[in-house]
Amino acid sequence: MGENSLSSASITDGLETQFIGQRVIYYPRLASTMEVAKREARLGAAEGTVIIAGEQTAGRGRIGRFWLSPKGSIALSIILYPSLVYLPSLIMLASLAVVHSVEAVTGLKSQVKWPNDVLVNGRKVCGILIESDVLGDTVVYAIIGIGVNVNLRASDFPEISQFATSLSDELGGGISLLSLIRRLLIEVEGLYLTLLAGGSIYEEWRDNLVTLGKKVKVESGKNRYEGIAESVARDGSLLLRQANGSLTKIVAGDVTLRN
Ligand code: BTN
C-alpha cells in the first residue's frame, strides 16, 4: 500500500490500542510534525495524539540538523504527558518500538546505535527526536518524533546515501506504510504501559545496542571523546572507557563507530 492510501481513518480504524493513535491528524505535506505536535500539546491534546505527514519539507533532526522526509517515509510525532521519572526512558521506548515493528512487519532485524538511531545492516534507517517541556518537576508535554526510511531509494538522496538505507532497499521490495505505522503505534503503547506498570525496558534496549564493546568517537556539544563504549546507565547515558582508564558518562551526543 502506498502513501496515497494513508489517512487519519485508515490509521485509527480498529487500531488495537487504548490511547496511542486513537486520535491521528494526518497531513499529506507538512513542514515538521514536531511543530504541530507542540502546538497541539500546548492546547491540551489527548495523550497519544499522533501527528503524521506524508512528507515533510522542514523535518527536524537531532542537534539542529535537517531530517529528510520524502514521500515513502514515515514521519510522525506522538504526544505524551509522562511523569518526570519516565522521561529518560522515552528514547529507549521509541527505538525499541521501531526495532519490534520493523521485525514484525518486514522480518528485518535492526539494531540501535546509541542513543537512538535504528540501523539495518549497519546503515541508518530511522531517527528519533524527543522534545519535552519541563517546568520544575512536571513534564508539561513530551513529544516522540520518529522518522523511518521505508519505501525510498537511499541512493537517490546524495545527502544521506553514504550512511543511510531504507527498509525497501534492504528488503528488495515495497512495504505497507500503513501496516508499519499501525504496528509502531501498538508497540509504543505496549512499551509505555510496561513502564507505567513499573516494568523496565532498559535491559532490552541495552541488549539491542550495536555500540557496546566498540571503539567509538563521541561528539557531545563542544567536547570530543574517544574510547570503548563500555556500557549504558539506566538513565540512558553512555559510559565511555577512555585510553587513560577513566570512565566518562555522556548524557547526549553523536557516536561514530570506529573499526
Ligand atoms: C535524527 O536522527 O536526527 C532524528 C530525526 C527525527 C525525525 C523525525 S520525522 C518526524 C518528526 N518530525 C520532525 O521534524 N522530526 C521528527
Side-chain angles (χ1 to χ4, degrees):
M1 181 175 286
E3 63 278 0
N4 292 338
S5 334
L6 282 185
S7 65
S8 301
S10 64
I11 296 167
T12 54
D13 280 358
L15 186 70
E16 288 177 350
T17 60
Q18 294 169 32
F19 56 99
I20 304 279
Q22 289 300 318
R23 178 171 176 241
V24 169
I25 309 174
Y26 171 72
Y27 294 84
R29 196 161 194 254
L30 188 63
S32 164
T33 57
M34 297 307 278
E35 287 314 308
V36 177
K38 253 189 215 176
R39 200 167 66 224
E40 285 289 324
R42 289 194 186 115
L43 291 170
E47 182 160 52
T49 297
V50 174
I51 316 300
I52 180 158
E55 63 181 308
Q56 293 185 122
T57 53
R60 293 215 310 262
R62 291 173 60 235
I63 337 178
R65 292 186 185 136
F66 175 74
W67 178 260
L68 189 80
S69 317
K71 281 183 190 165
S73 58
I74 290 176
L76 61 80
S77 296
I78 305 171
I79 300 171
L80 296 175
Y81 303 107
S83 304
L84 191 57
V85 68
Y86 300 123
L87 208 48
S89 302
L90 296 187
I91 57 168
M92 307 179 196
L93 178 160
S95 46
L96 279 179
V98 172
V99 169
H100 291 175
S101 48
V102 164
E103 179 158 12
V105 174
T106 68
L108 290 169
K109 301 264 186 218
S110 51
Q111 285 180 303
V112 182
K113 179 159 87 74
W114 185 88
N116 52 9
D117 287 349
V118 180
L119 313 183
V120 174
N121 294 324
R123 288 176 166 259
K124 182 162 171 171
V125 81
C126 162
I128 290 158
L129 181 65
I130 312 281
E131 292 184 343
S132 58
D133 184 11
V134 179
L135 269 183
D137 55 10
T138 302
V139 179
V140 181
Y141 61 78
I143 295 167
I144 299 180
I146 302 178
V148 190
N149 301 335
V150 186
N151 294 322
L152 56 92
R153 273 206 309 255
S155 58
D156 287 345
F157 301 94
E159 53 279 59
I160 62 165
S161 59
Q162 291 299 307
F163 60 87
T165 186
S166 73
L167 296 177
S168 61
D169 280 345
E170 296 302 319
L171 206 61
I175 289 122
S176 162
L177 274 183
L178 186 57
S179 304
L180 189 57
I181 291 164
R182 285 167 62 96
R183 187 65 198 217
L184 183 56
L185 300 178
I186 291 169
E187 294 293 340
V188 167
E189 181 169 287
L191 291 162
Y192 191 52
L193 290 176
T194 298
L195 283 178
L196 298 187
S200 171
I201 60 173
Y202 157 79
E203 290 80 6
E204 193 191 347
W205 175 71
R206 181 197 59 202
D207 294 347
N208 271 278
L209 284 171
V210 68
T211 322
L212 297 189
K214 301 258 167 65
K215 205 169 169 195
V216 295
K217 204 167 87 180
V218 188
E219 291 186 32
S220 177
K222 291 197 169 73
N223 298 315
R224 305 274 178 281
Y225 306 93
E226 279 196 39
I228 306 287
E230 192 163 291
S231 187
V232 278
R234 293 195 86 86
D235 66 0
S237 346
L238 181 69
L239 301 173
L240 183 80
R241 183 72 65 185
Q242 292 182 267
N244 63 8
S246 65
L247 195 62
T248 306
K249 186 169 173 168
I250 301 169
V251 176
D254 229 18
V255 162
T256 311
L257 301 175
R258 320 268 296 178
N259 290 327

